[in-house]
Amino acid sequence: MSAPGPLSLNTVTVRDRWSLAQCIEGCARHGIPGISPWRDKLAELGVAQAARQIRDAGLFVSGLCRGGMFPAADAAGRRAAIEDNLRAIEEAQAIGAACLVVLGGGLPPGSKDLPGARAMFRDGLAAILPAARAAGVTLALEPLHPMTCADRSVLSTLGQALDLAEEFGEGVGIALDVYHVWWDPDLARQMQRARGRIAAFHACDWLMPTTDLVFDRGMMGDGVIDIPAIRAMAEAAGYAGPCEVEILSRRWWAEDPDTVLETIKARHATAC
Amino acid sequence: MSAPGPLSLNTVTVRDRWSLAQCIEGCARHGIPGISPWRDKLAELGVAQAARQIRDAGLFVSGLCRGGMFPAADAAGRRAAIEDNLRAIEEAQAIGAACLVVLGGGLPPGSKDLPGARAMFRDGLAAILPAARAAGVTLALEPLHPMTCADRSVLSTLGQALDLAEEFGEGVGIALDVYHVWWDPDLARQMQRARGRIAAFHACDWLMPTTDLVFDRGMMGDGVIDIPAIRAMAEAAGYAGPCEVEILSRRWWAEDPDTVLETIKARHATAC
């Protein structure tokens, strides 16, 4: 029997109505023990101030979203991405984040060279890893659903992410989001390979029908993903950490955030 | 250097404006040598009549769409799917189709049991294979993009389809659609495994942005798929057959079908 793990709120889930300060206060008030900010919200509040408020509220930080996004049309663009990632590592360290979530990024504009974009991702990861190791910040590679391959993530499967994690070793882990991996026919085998490498576990649900490729994720329990089964695989692979809820959804963004947090708490108990 | 192979029109590409009789006449008039009907259009014209008109027009039949869709909520539903597939095999034989395209089908209503649905697909395939072998009809397993896993296809990757093709052997092949496999980080390796098993090659393109999970496929050349690279892999794996164009798109369905066919011919020459 798996347990859902302590709950953490990814701030994107209420991004349209709450600032980071409101998210911190809201988590504390609702008894949600963890938080995972996005960098735009962090910048609004200021990193030092955010770190203080999170600490004062007694919250743990399950991750910082997001680094990566290395593929770019030219060398200057790739350098800029690396420099931005170095800042993200400092921010993750400053707020005591368990990891920096690292996304693949899409194809450079006009490009059809997917193997080339994947090589750019690997090169970017190699470039920032020494700084991440020095800072003690785990880089959590998050494979995104293949439907985002063109414009958001050339990192598409758990197997592909594990290949990189195994190649680079210390300091590189996996951010596992049930939304992105639930369909994978190779999931059970790859989850066994993931032993000791899972740095984050994200939950939401796949709605049927799904009406948008990015902004129609569902609340846990409203869709078709067997979340407890995936959680059990993660635990069998040694993961016992938080369950971070990250829902990009126009429907939930329109709701009162207090209702969203209440719903998350209820579903965390029944559907995760 | 790869060659795009002889062109075939999948009738779904102009489904809203042309009957099968119009598709047959249109292919002949535009010098498109092949056709691949969907069963609803075939039923409208009648199988015997369709077979006669296709033969009289001198067209080859690159496939019949579609069989499979085995997962169902109960035993009666699964039996009905198998019986429907047996009729589809007879139809494919009657029109001289190179294969019957076999789709996974989605999760049964209310189910979150993806491994169970995949087992139902395998069982259904096993049930119809003797009839397919007897009729000389190749069952072409078509993995669909993982974004269709919940409601259309629990058959999600080329690797998964090849596992079944290897298990069942004679009479089972693969329908390879670039739209469904282009994102796969394991594609090059799986295409080597596919040697001798590719029964159909389908082309369209992945648009950026993509605004619908089913009906926003692009005309070849309008998107980000490196179609010639995938064609070259197919040829390296021994495939030298037709390039069947199958575009499910509200945008192209609204066009004059003669314009669609002219565009397909042009793009087949330049983007495939």
Side-chain angles (χ1 to χ4, degrees):
Chain A
M1 189 60 195
S2 66
L7 185 57
S8 177
L9 176 72
N10 186 300
T11 62
V12 81
T13 306
V14 290
R15 73 165 197 195
D16 283 4
R17 298 197 172 204
W18 272 3
S19 67
L20 180 52
Q22 288 173 300
C23 289
I24 295 167
E25 184 276 328
C27 283
R29 183 161 42 83
H30 284 276
I32 292 176
I35 195 166
S36 176
W38 277 41
R39 290 183 68 209
D40 56 339
K41 297 279 188 184
L42 192 61
E44 281 170 19
L45 185 55
V47 177
Q49 178 66 21
R52 198 156 39 237
Q53 289 186 217
I54 291 169
R55 194 174 54 238
D56 290 351
L59 304 178
F60 67 80
V61 182
S62 56
L64 174 64
C65 286
R66 54 194 192 180
M69 318 289 278
F70 297 113
D74 56 24
R78 291 190 288 279
R79 267 198 310 277
I82 288 167
E83 282 157 21
D84 189 53
N85 273 268
L86 297 177
R87 287 190 292 275
I89 289 168
E90 292 174 0
E91 293 166 16
Q93 184 183 33
I95 63 171
C99 61
L100 173 65
V101 173
V102 174
L103 298 195
L107 290 167
S111 170
K112 300 187 184 193
D113 182 7
L114 183 52
R118 285 172 169 156
M120 288 180 200
F121 177 78
R122 186 196 165 283
D123 291 347
L125 183 63
I128 67 167
L129 184 53
R133 285 176 176 158
V137 170
T138 297
L139 301 176
L141 310 185
E142 183 173 16
L144 297 199
H145 196 287
M147 69 183 169
T148 71
C149 186
D151 45 7
R152 278 177 173 74
S153 175
V154 297
L155 189 62
S156 304
T157 62
L158 179 55
Q160 181 191 4
L162 285 169
D163 286 348
L164 290 163
E166 288 177 1
E167 175 187 352
F168 286 107
E170 185 210 329
V172 178
I174 301 292
L176 186 83
D177 188 317
V178 298
Y179 192 77
H180 298 307
V181 303
W182 74 278
W183 59 269
D184 190 342
D186 204 27
L187 185 61
R189 192 172 69 93
Q190 296 297 337
M191 288 294 285
Q192 291 175 342
R193 259 184 91 196
R195 170 163 290 281
R197 300 192 191 275
I198 302 173
F201 184 93
H202 296 182
C204 64
D205 214 334
W206 182 278
L207 298 177
M208 194 156 78
T210 291
T211 60
D212 187 280
L213 280 79
V214 183
F215 301 130
D216 193 30
R217 300 195 196 178
M219 181 64 65
M220 300 82 71
D222 286 347
V224 300
I225 304 177
D226 187 347
I227 301 171
I230 300 178
R231 177 80 195 185
M233 287 188 226
E235 294 186 1
Y239 182 77
C243 174
E244 178 180 320
V245 173
E246 184 185 36
I247 306 175
L248 290 87
S249 158
R250 294 204 177 92
R251 177 245 184 281
W252 287 104
W253 286 333
E255 277 284 354
D256 170 26
D258 282 308
T259 303
V260 178
L261 268 59
E262 284 300 332
T263 309
I264 285 172
K265 281 169 58 184
R267 299 299 179 82
H268 177 248
T270 58
C272 293
Chain B
M1 188 62 194
S2 65
L7 186 56
S8 177
L9 176 72
N10 186 300
T11 61
V12 81
T13 306
V14 291
R15 73 165 195 194
D16 283 5
R17 297 199 173 202
W18 272 2
S19 67
L20 179 54
Q22 288 173 299
C23 288
I24 294 166
E25 185 277 329
C27 282
R29 183 160 43 82
H30 285 276
I32 293 176
I35 195 165
S36 177
W38 277 41
R39 292 182 67 208
D40 56 340
K41 298 279 187 184
L42 193 62
E44 281 171 20
L45 185 55
V47 175
Q49 178 67 18
R52 197 158 39 236
Q53 288 187 216
I54 290 170
R55 193 176 55 239
D56 289 350
L59 304 177
F60 67 81
V61 182
S62 55
L64 175 64
C65 287
R66 57 197 189 177
M69 318 290 279
F70 297 112
D74 56 25
R78 291 191 287 280
R79 265 198 311 275
I82 287 167
E83 281 158 22
D84 190 53
N85 272 269
L86 297 177
R87 287 190 293 274
I89 289 168
E90 292 175 359
E91 293 167 15
Q93 183 183 35
I95 63 171
C99 61
L100 173 65
V101 173
V102 174
L103 299 194
L107 290 167
S111 170
K112 300 187 183 193
D113 182 6
L114 183 52
R118 285 173 169 155
M120 288 180 200
F121 177 78
R122 187 195 164 283
D123 291 347
L125 183 63
I128 67 167
L129 184 53
R133 285 177 176 157
V137 170
T138 297
L139 301 176
L141 310 185
E142 182 174 17
L144 296 200
H145 195 288
M147 69 184 170
T148 70
C149 185
D151 45 9
R152 279 177 173 72
S153 175
V154 297
L155 188 62
S156 304
T157 63
L158 179 55
Q160 182 191 3
L162 284 169
D163 286 347
L164 289 164
E166 289 177 0
E167 176 187 351
F168 286 105
E170 184 210 331
V172 178
I174 301 291
L176 187 82
D177 188 317
V178 299
Y179 192 78
H180 298 307
V181 303
W182 74 278
W183 59 269
D184 190 342
D186 204 27
L187 185 59
R189 192 171 70 90
Q190 296 298 338
M191 288 295 285
Q192 291 175 343
R193 259 184 92 195
R195 171 163 289 281
R197 300 193 191 275
I198 303 174
F201 183 93
H202 296 183
C204 65
D205 213 335
W206 182 278
L207 298 178
M208 195 155 76
T210 291
T211 60
D212 189 279
L213 280 80
V214 183
F215 301 128
D216 193 30
R217 299 194 196 178
M219 180 65 65
M220 300 81 70
D222 286 347
V224 301
I225 304 177
D226 187 347
I227 301 170
I230 300 176
R231 179 78 195 184
M233 287 189 227
E235 294 186 1
Y239 181 77
C243 175
E244 178 180 320
V245 173
E246 183 186 35
I247 306 175
L248 290 87
S249 159
R250 294 204 177 93
R251 177 245 184 279
W252 287 103
W253 285 333
E255 277 284 357
D256 170 27
D258 282 309
T259 302
V260 178
L261 266 59
E262 284 300 332
T263 309
I264 285 171
K265 282 169 58 186
R267 299 300 180 80
H268 177 247
T270 58
C272 293

